[in-house]
Amino acid sequence: MNGNEMLVNTTESKQFDVQDDQSILDAALKSGLVLEYSCKNGQCGVCKATLLKGDVVELQAQLALSDRERNDKKILTCCCAAVTDIEIDAVDLSALHGIEIKTLPARVSQVAYLSDNIVEVKLRLPPTANFQFIEGQYLDVIWNSIRRSYSIASISSEKEITLLIKRFENGQMSDYWFNKILANDLLRIEGPKGTFFLRDADTPLIFLATGTGIAPIKSILHRLEHDPDYQQMHPIAVYWGSRYSEEFVWQANFHKLKVDFYHVLSKPVADWAGETGYVQDNAITNQADFSASAVYACGSNAMIQSAKQKFLASGLPENRFHSDAFVQSF
Ligand SMILES: Cc1cc2nc3c(=O)[nH]c(=O)nc-3n(C[C@H](O)[C@H](O)[C@H](O)COP(=O)(O)OP(=O)(O)OC[C@H]3O[C@@H](n4cnc5c(N)ncnc54)[C@H](O)[C@@H]3O)c2cc1C
Ligand code: FES
């Protein structure tokens, strides 16, 4: 049934119809607006917006909202539907306009086990697919009715899509990736999705990753490395954290980019020469002033929430903290 109207106050106000049972985020995406989002299931908080007028109902629990934020009229657009005409304050990411979310067949072309718990999978799409994405985005893989999200580790000019996947104990998709997968298997993908992409290249950049959270960061950095128009004017630092040193499965090797790369072990061993502790603490200790920086954090939700709180307390403007949390699927 036809529902209510939504007014989104972006740089230019935009107005459109929303269906009763449709999340505000989905309605916006369908209308051509791209609001910030990542997990789409209420856990990461990336889609937080301010409800200026009207009423909403929860379609799924807004897990990432605090009581204080609820009182301040914050909503998670992936979790709420409009029950009256509404007006919200949110950012429309025009860089993603025109990038179509597609469902496509994908063949497994290569499988490489980089450690006991990390596999690199390459997927080949049909030659006519014209699959476009911005480096940093993710896609959903669908196999046997199971759907899981994975960040794209390759860049858009490459022929194949590369994923870096961590094994989860008793994980349904982990069982496929680590026990059942065969070259030439046919999967389905849906994407690209998410709004984790580089939008402030002309500032000092700090990237934080835990585990396979390095995947979209690898993609973003390779994009910069291959972009003939990009001239590096500011420092770039990458803090990559892991519990085990054998899970640092990517060796960064740039010719054009100058990147300060820190490997951070949370549980250091006797012969470890790198950093120890948490990535966010290492990054904050290494720099005095974050007022001109931008931070891109990807991986565990615990790291991201802690990093956000610490960086904002250290002077980073809130609109310069971008994240993609690898939260569990429901
Ligand atoms: C936007 C996004 C991007 C992602 N990108 C990547 C990526 O590039 N590489 C990658 O390895 N993973 C990524 N993930 C996580 C991935 O989608 C799956 O959640 C993960 O691979 C587990 O799936 P599974 O089917 O093996 O385990 P499941 O069957 O879903 O779960 C098995 C058990 O493992 C635990 N578990 C599952 N997922 C998580 C989690 N995320 N955090 C903590 N505990 C969990 C739970 O206790 C659960 O009972 C991403 C997630 C999101 C939301
Ligand atoms: S909470 Fe809405 S996108 Fe994650």
Side-chain angles (χ1 to χ4, degrees):
M1 117 182 167
N2 263 339
N4 301 294
E5 286 210 322
M6 173 157 79
L7 181 66
V8 179
N9 286 336
T10 59
T11 34
E12 290 165 43
S13 292
K14 301 202 178 168
Q15 192 164 352
F16 50 89
D17 283 337
V18 293
Q19 308 295 310
D20 288 357
D21 55 354
Q22 193 177 34
S23 74
I24 293 167
L25 174 65
D26 283 341
L29 292 173
K30 202 164 170 223
S31 82
L33 277 184
V34 187
L35 308 184
E36 294 266 11
Y37 76 97
S38 177
C39 72
K40 290 188 91 176
N41 64 23
Q43 295 182 78
C44 74
V46 166
C47 66
K48 201 181 298 168
T50 308
L51 181 65
L52 300 173
K53 275 189 199 155
D55 293 313
V56 297
V57 66
E58 271 188 5
L59 298 175
Q60 53 183 341
Q62 301 184 83
L63 300 171
L65 271 194
S66 66
D67 290 343
R68 187 173 167 183
E69 287 170 327
R70 283 170 198 270
N71 289 337
D72 288 347
K73 289 276 187 188
K74 299 288 181 201
I75 56 166
L76 299 181
T77 63
C78 74
C79 296
C80 296
V83 289
T84 62
D85 288 356
I86 63 165
E87 192 176 331
I88 64 168
D89 208 358
V91 176
D92 174 27
L93 299 167
S94 56
L96 292 174
H97 286 181
I99 294 199
E100 200 187 328
I101 298 178
K102 296 180 176 179
T103 303
L104 295 164
R107 281 224 180 262
V108 173
S109 65
Q110 220 177 303
V111 183
Y113 294 93
L114 306 180
S115 77
D116 286 351
N117 291 315
I118 298 181
V119 61
E120 182 186 75
V121 176
K122 289 191 189 288
L123 300 176
R124 196 171 54 237
L125 304 183
T128 52
N130 191 21
F131 181 74
Q132 294 176 9
F133 66 94
I134 297 193
E135 287 74 12
Q137 290 193 281
Y138 73 89
L139 49 72
D140 285 350
V141 174
I142 303 146
W143 172 78
N144 253 4
S145 309
I146 303 166
R147 174 189 287 263
R148 295 287 182 270
S149 305
Y150 297 99
S151 297
I152 303 169
S154 42
I155 60 174
S156 50
S157 54
E158 287 177 69
K159 279 205 180 115
E160 297 185 320
I161 301 275
T162 305
L163 309 176
L164 273 182
I165 299 166
K166 174 186 160 181
R167 184 207 300 262
F168 276 85
E169 190 88 12
N170 303 319
Q172 290 184 71
M173 268 313 269
S174 294
D175 184 39
Y176 170 70
W177 299 123
F178 288 85
N179 301 321
K180 298 194 164 80
I181 192 170
L182 292 172
N184 271 329
D185 275 359
L186 188 61
L187 307 171
R188 268 189 311 141
I189 62 150
E190 188 182 286
K193 296 187 174 184
T195 56
F196 188 72
F197 67 95
L198 189 64
R199 59 216 60 182
D200 2 51
D202 200 17
T203 55
L205 295 172
I206 298 167
F207 293 94
L208 308 176
T210 53
T212 46
I214 199 68
I217 292 171
K218 175 175 182 262
S219 173
I220 289 170
L221 291 173
H222 275 147
R223 171 77 265 151
L224 287 181
E225 168 84 359
H226 289 100
D227 181 351
D229 296 331
Y230 176 71
Q231 296 291 335
Q232 184 175 352
M233 305 295 284
H234 300 280
I236 299 177
V238 177
Y239 296 84
W240 184 11
S242 177
R243 201 175 284 188
Y244 308 105
S245 58
E246 58 271 25
E247 293 189 355
F248 291 123
V249 291
W250 170 52
Q251 194 59 49
N253 184 14
F254 298 111
H255 299 291
K256 182 173 119 180
L257 291 189
K258 191 185 167 311
V259 179
D260 296 319
F261 213 106
Y262 301 91
H263 295 84
V264 186
L265 263 200
S266 57
K267 292 210 166 136
V269 285
D271 58 349
W272 177 245
E275 318 299 318
T276 58
Y278 293 121
V279 286
Q280 63 274 30
D281 295 333
N282 275 269
I284 283 174
T285 309
N286 273 359
Q287 196 172 316
D289 180 13
F290 296 99
S291 56
S293 300
V295 174
Y296 290 80
C298 186
S300 92
N301 205 20
M303 178 277 282
I304 288 169
Q305 299 312 327
S306 162
K308 184 168 187 182
Q309 188 234 318
K310 290 183 176 181
F311 273 99
L312 297 198
S314 303
L316 182 82
E318 186 163 12
N319 64 358
R320 295 271 187 83
F321 185 90
H322 310 285
S323 61
D324 220 16
F326 285 3
V327 295
Q328 189 177 350
S329 299
F330 292 139

